[in-house]
Amino acid sequence: MKHEITLDGPEAITIVPYERKAHYHETDQMGIIHHSNYVKWMEEARIDLMDQMGMSYKQMEQMEIISPVLSISLNYRSSVHFDDTVIIETKITHYNGVKMELEYTMYDQETEEIRCTATSSHCFLNRSGKPISLKRSYPEIDTKFFEFKDE
């Protein structure tokens, strides 16, 4: 199964899914990865996607833009165990300049079995906590997010 996504345009860009090795300290008493860790992995994958897009979260924070989570949903399909490697495909499914929604599919690297599917919804705020429109205030960022939105 091919997990990379190539986006055509003036400069073709290949987005590589995020790889995450499950650590021992992330397991629970049953020897599987505790469910709370998946949310952390989603954040890691989202930040990795933004880095690959050429607009890091750190750059956004330096511009005094924050993007808090509005909602999150996870559907666990099968367990991840210590030392498993999970591939996380991350896609922007909705973006309108004010809000953004992402979809995550977590696969086992070896078997390609889906471990978890998830979504997260985010908005954009200035450091004072007031909603902002990237389309109006930061058109260069707006263009990047719009270009990477999954059709």
Side-chain angles (χ1 to χ4, degrees):
M1 184 180 296
K2 184 179 178 188
H3 298 282
E4 294 177 349
I5 300 168
T6 301
L7 301 169
D8 295 324
E11 297 176 24
I13 297 173
T14 300
I15 300 296
V16 179
Y18 183 67
E19 285 189 23
R20 181 61 159 75
K21 189 145 191 117
H23 300 284
Y24 183 77
H25 71 269
E26 296 172 314
T27 62
D28 59 18
Q29 272 189 318
M30 296 177 286
I32 60 175
I33 298 304
H34 190 270
H35 66 275
S36 64
N37 290 295
Y38 291 80
V39 175
K40 295 173 189 172
W41 295 355
M42 290 164 63
E43 183 173 280
E44 291 172 14
R46 182 172 62 253
I47 289 172
D48 179 69
L49 174 65
M50 291 175 65
D51 286 344
Q52 291 187 64
M53 289 169 52
M55 178 46 64
S56 73
Y57 197 78
K58 184 174 183 169
Q59 287 173 295
M60 287 181 58
E61 285 188 333
Q62 289 169 343
M63 298 170 79
E64 300 197 350
I65 303 166
I66 57 175
S67 182
V69 174
L70 297 174
S71 66
I72 207 155
S73 173
L74 293 95
N75 295 302
Y76 303 101
R77 300 259 189 102
S78 59
S79 300
V80 175
H81 297 86
F82 163 63
D83 211 36
D84 288 351
T85 298
V86 177
I87 307 295
I88 306 172
E89 290 183 356
T90 309
K91 297 178 189 172
I92 299 172
T93 56
H94 174 77
Y95 171 78
N96 66 8
V98 178
K99 290 184 182 178
M100 172 174 68
E101 293 175 9
L102 295 102
E103 183 179 280
Y104 311 81
T105 305
M106 301 181 201
Y107 296 89
D108 182 274
Q109 182 183 45
E110 195 173 306
T111 66
E112 295 196 349
E113 181 179 358
I114 295 175
R115 300 294 186 196
C116 180
T117 57
T119 59
S120 65
S121 176
H122 307 261
C123 66
F124 300 98
L125 306 175
N126 64 21
R127 276 279 174 213
S128 302
K130 294 185 180 177
I132 58 173
S133 167
L134 295 183
K135 192 176 287 190
R136 272 197 300 266
S137 304
Y138 301 93
E140 67 283 5
I141 298 173
D142 176 70
T143 300
K144 284 200 181 285
F145 281 119
F146 189 76
E147 287 173 351
F148 282 87
K149 185 174 75 88
D150 194 43
E151 298 299 321

